[in-house]
Amino acid sequence: MKVAVIGPGALGCLFAARMARSGTKVTLIDHRKERAERLEQQGITVESAGEVLTAHPSVSLHVPTGMDFILVLTKAYATEALRFPPEVPVLTLQNGLGNVETLCSLVGSARVLAGTTSEACTQLDVGLVRHTAAGLTRFGGWTSCDPTVAGQCLRAAGFEVALTDSPGQIIWEKTAVCAAINPLTALMDVPNGKLLELVEVRQLMRDLVVEAAKVAAAEGYRFDHSLVEVAEQTCADTSENISSMLQDIRASRPTEIDAISGEILHRAQLASLPTPRTRVIHQLVKGLENR
Ligand code: PAF
């Protein structure tokens, strides 16, 4: 099995290392030459509950041909610039809304697999990752792409995988959770679990999830379980984790706020739904980014 993983961030390194260790021929794609050379030389190290896993996948600036599938784990704002060889299935597990639509415009919907992962990890340095919590990875074909091979490969690498017929639903669920946890942890500069301890912030987290769920409903996505409970459970399960948005703010990188709260705002506007808290949170994180 040959797989390309695009994006050498925390999740990209975790997925690349685990697949490489399970016997998959992994090529990690990094568009930054110097960092790619460093990754090629030193490999990837994942610290996980006292264990240390090392792997030496190939590293390349471009996706090679002959892959069985391509896993996209770049930041949402980088999706548009990606380029893919023909015919290979492309699996996105990225945060936020809009990645799938962008990939469909690049490769055609029949090649797109889409979903989310609840694996939580923190990037400590280039190629050095702390895996803070295991979680479910769920995905399915956006239209007609068969998810079986990608599912088998990720399971063989030790990931808990569930295939779904409704990837759009899964992406909305994760986005509603991210729209609450990620900006609030970034603004408060706290790990995920702390949000549950601060009464006012916990209430704001709930309100943000409810606003997002209303916009999802306007797009036809209804949930038979409480997304507020999912968000709170995620905080508890990943209590030690520094959210990806807080990691970005601390490293002075752009965040994914536009793909998360910004997309919710945009879609709320189309549906004439008020989302006042999401608007303020979006404005505050943009302010933090531009400080
Ligand atoms: O983006 C992230 O950091 C994670 O997906 C999660 C679990 C929402 C927060 O750490």
Side-chain angles (χ1 to χ4, degrees):
M1 185 80 66
K2 290 185 187 164
V3 178
V5 178
I6 311 185
L11 280 174
C13 283
L14 174 73
F15 277 80
R18 285 250 199 107
M19 282 193 284
R21 289 298 297 234
S22 70
T24 297
K25 276 191 167 307
V26 176
T27 307
L28 182 59
I29 312 300
D30 186 357
H31 70 285
R32 279 168 55 185
K33 197 167 176 285
E34 267 175 38
R35 191 175 53 187
E37 280 167 6
R38 205 174 141 190
L39 279 163
E40 177 88 61
Q41 240 173 26
Q42 71 183 36
I44 298 173
T45 303
V46 179
E47 301 174 0
S48 185
E51 282 178 22
V52 176
L53 178 149
T54 54
H56 270 87
S58 310
V59 184
S60 170
L61 298 177
H62 306 287
V63 182
T65 53
M67 298 292 108
D68 289 289
F69 71 95
I70 298 163
L71 174 56
V72 183
L73 281 167
T74 59
K75 296 288 180 188
Y77 50 77
T79 311
E80 216 173 331
L82 299 177
R83 292 297 170 262
F84 301 92
E87 285 169 26
V88 186
V90 176
L91 165 60
T92 166
L93 298 176
Q94 296 159 281
N95 271 346
L97 300 169
N99 295 303
V100 178
E101 291 81 350
T102 304
L103 289 174
C104 286
S105 73
L106 292 171
V107 302
S109 62
R111 276 175 55 197
V112 174
L113 299 167
T116 64
T117 183
S118 304
E119 297 288 348
C121 39
T122 305
Q123 180 138 34
L124 304 176
D125 198 350
V126 172
L128 178 60
V129 169
R130 179 174 301 140
H131 185 213
T132 49
L136 186 60
T137 297
R138 291 185 286 179
F139 59 91
W142 190 248
T143 55
S144 54
C145 194
D146 185 350
T148 316
V149 169
Q152 283 166 350
C153 180
L154 291 177
R155 279 195 191 107
F159 293 100
E160 193 190 347
V161 173
L163 300 183
T164 174
D165 290 333
S166 319
Q169 181 99 3
I170 302 297
I171 291 171
W172 253 114
E173 176 170 321
K174 173 85 189 282
T175 302
V177 169
C178 281
I181 298 178
N182 292 20
L184 289 178
T185 49
L187 289 162
M188 303 291 300
D189 196 23
V190 292
N192 296 352
K194 195 77 184 163
L195 297 183
L196 298 175
E197 292 169 27
L198 306 164
V199 179
E200 294 83 0
V201 182
R202 185 171 184 162
Q203 186 54 50
L204 180 53
M205 175 170 84
R206 291 177 174 151
D207 294 341
L208 286 165
V209 176
V210 170
E211 282 190 3
K214 283 186 184 156
V215 184
E219 290 200 352
Y221 295 106
R222 309 286 157 114
F223 298 87
D224 59 5
H225 54 280
S226 157
L227 296 192
V228 169
E229 279 173 24
V230 176
E232 294 195 334
Q233 194 57 51
T234 304
C235 278
D237 293 344
T238 63
S239 60
E240 302 291 301
N241 198 46
I242 302 300
S243 76
S244 52
M245 197 167 284
L246 177 52
Q247 291 182 51
D248 289 338
I249 289 293
R250 284 184 177 172
S252 304
R253 291 188 297 251
T255 72
E256 295 182 300
I257 196 68
D258 286 334
I260 301 173
S261 312
E263 272 294 319
I264 293 171
L265 276 177
H266 173 63
R267 291 162 192 236
Q269 255 164 8
L270 294 178
S272 302
L273 274 173
T275 48
R277 291 175 186 81
T278 306
R279 176 171 298 283
V280 171
I281 287 294
H282 181 253
Q283 288 165 326
L284 284 172
V285 175
K286 292 303 278 184
L288 207 53
E289 268 184 351
N290 295 326
R291 234 180 354 181

